[in-house]
Each structure stands twice: as C-alpha cells, then as structure tokens.
Amino acid sequence: MLASRTTVAHGATDPGLHRDRNEDAFLVDAERGLFAVADGLGGMPHGEVASQLAVARLREASDLDLRDLDELFNQINRTVRREGLKLSGGNGIGTTLTAAIVRDGVATIGHVGDCAAFVVSPGEARQVTHDQTIAEQMRSTGEAPVPEYLNHILTQCLGQSGTVAVEMLTLPFSEGSRLLLCSDGVTKVIEAAEILETMAGAQQPSALVGWLIDTANERGGPDNSTAVALFA
C-alpha cells in the first residue's frame, strides 16, 4: 500500500518579487507517496538546474532506491556534482533537498540544507527538520549573538564532493496528520509558530500552500517560495 487513498496533497512554487529566476523545484507523486522540495543555491551558477536534477532523480527512483533514502540522497549528490562540473567549468552547482516517502501510515523524511518539514498530528505540532546552516550550528553550541547573514550560509548541500550527512526521520502519519515541506523563501518571512497554526486550521492542502506563497509575497517576496502540503 502506498499513500492512503484518503490522503490529499498539493504543491506550488512562485519566483517571488526580487528574483529573475525560480531556482526552486518540487515533486508531488501521491500515487507513490513521494514528495519533495528543492532549492538551488543562488550563490552558485545554474541553481535551477541543480534543483531540477535532484527532483528528477528522485522522481525516477525505483522502489528499491527508495528503501534506502540516505543512499539515494548521496546518489543524487553525485549526479548533481558530475553535472555541475560539466556546466560550470569546475566550480560546481548545488541544491538543498527535503523529501518524504509516505506509506502505510509512516512518513520517512530525508533532509539536506535549509528547506523545512513541519508536522501537525494529534498531540504534536513542530518543525521536524533542522536548518543546516552556520547560524543553526552556532545556536546548537550555545554561541550568541549569531549574525543574521549566517542564517543563509549552508554547512552542506547536494552537489558537493564526498558524501553528505542526511538528516533522517521516521514519523507516524495516520489519519488527521499533516505534513508540509517548504523552501526557505517561506520560512524567511513566516515564523514557524504561524506556519504550524495555519497548518492546523487549513481546510485543504491547496489552501495552505496558496496562503504560504501569497503571504511570503505580501511580506516582500525576497526569494522563490515553494510549498508541498499533504493531509491524511
């Protein structure tokens, strides 16, 4: 059994108000229970290629690949790395990726970078991923104050040399559960508490996604904004 027949999902992306290109990509494959958001690195060339490559490789993954999401992320890392070296004259390209496999009442999440996953379910409402940024690394060790610009400097991405340390989570996803994946174009301007409150009250995934993107743009639209929502 894949995602439940009663599960409803929706995804959308918007370039925002200050970017010439949309370097985000997303995947909604409810039939296979496969969902993702990727954000190409704007500080490197061909960010849109990197994010689309990551999502395309995920979309093409076999069920065997999906059984080891950690290894699949590292395969995607190598794919983005190879293509980046060809495209950029040796400088490389990069992307973040947060993906979820939802099957048989369980959500398995893999995460690299600073997109985010939020879960609202009976008795729980929280961001379940951690931003892989220098700022978050400093906060985890108690360092303060943290300069604002460090919130946007990643400690790892897909497309780098070597292996990536994928943050892996396995969570129950039964009736009444809600999952949101979004790029940092959303979380830059909407606080986690507001996101979680809106998730809990939204009637449909499409309404939640629309509200997130519209609100991000109403608050300046500083970046591409992308969201994928899944309600069981």
Side-chain angles (χ1 to χ4, degrees):
M1 178 181 177
L2 301 188
S4 166
R5 292 183 183 275
T6 61
T7 297
V8 182
H10 184 78
T13 186
D14 188 273
L17 304 182
H18 299 281
R19 298 297 176 98
D20 294 331
R21 296 176 299 179
N22 192 341
E23 296 182 323
D24 287 0
F26 72 92
L27 172 63
V28 173
D29 185 345
E31 184 67 25
R32 300 181 69 203
L34 185 56
F35 310 90
V37 169
D39 180 359
L41 271 60
M44 301 173 75
H46 306 291
E48 72 283 3
V49 175
S51 62
Q52 292 287 350
L53 268 175
V55 166
R57 177 65 185 87
L58 192 63
R59 183 186 296 112
E60 295 161 1
S62 67
D63 280 352
L64 183 61
D65 289 334
L66 294 175
R67 288 175 192 161
D68 189 346
L69 198 54
D70 188 317
E71 172 55 28
L72 179 56
F73 265 63
N74 273 283
Q75 290 177 19
I76 295 169
N77 178 58
R78 293 190 288 271
T79 298
V80 175
R81 176 73 175 169
R82 284 194 301 269
E83 188 64 22
L85 293 176
K86 290 189 286 185
L87 282 174
S88 65
N91 294 320
I93 61 177
T95 184
T96 67
L97 179 64
T98 301
I101 304 168
V102 180
R103 299 182 174 186
D104 300 325
V106 175
T108 302
I109 298 170
H111 169 72
V112 169
D114 62 353
C115 290
F118 296 86
V119 168
V120 171
S121 61
E124 182 176 41
R126 64 188 176 101
Q127 180 176 341
V128 295
T129 54
H130 299 87
D131 291 347
Q132 295 176 351
T133 62
I134 292 178
E136 190 63 26
Q137 191 174 66
M138 291 174 66
R139 291 187 190 102
S140 70
T141 59
E143 294 185 58
V146 177
E148 195 280 334
Y149 74 92
L150 294 179
N151 287 309
H152 312 300
I153 300 180
L154 297 176
T155 54
Q156 64 172 359
C157 67
L158 300 182
Q160 67 186 47
S161 60
T163 60
V164 290
V166 185
E167 182 179 5
M168 295 292 304
L169 306 98
T170 301
L171 307 167
F173 197 78
S174 55
E175 184 176 355
S177 297
R178 297 178 172 194
L179 172 66
L180 171 71
L181 311 177
C182 62
S183 65
D184 71 336
V186 172
T187 55
K188 280 176 183 175
V189 293
I190 310 177
E191 294 291 336
E194 188 176 7
I195 290 173
L196 290 166
E197 181 180 2
T198 306
M199 283 179 70
Q203 296 300 308
Q204 294 290 335
S206 57
L208 172 61
V209 168
W211 181 86
L212 290 167
I213 291 175
D214 289 347
T215 301
N217 285 335
E218 288 166 6
R219 297 180 184 178
D223 201 350
N224 312 145
S225 54
T226 301
V228 169
L230 173 66
F231 288 11

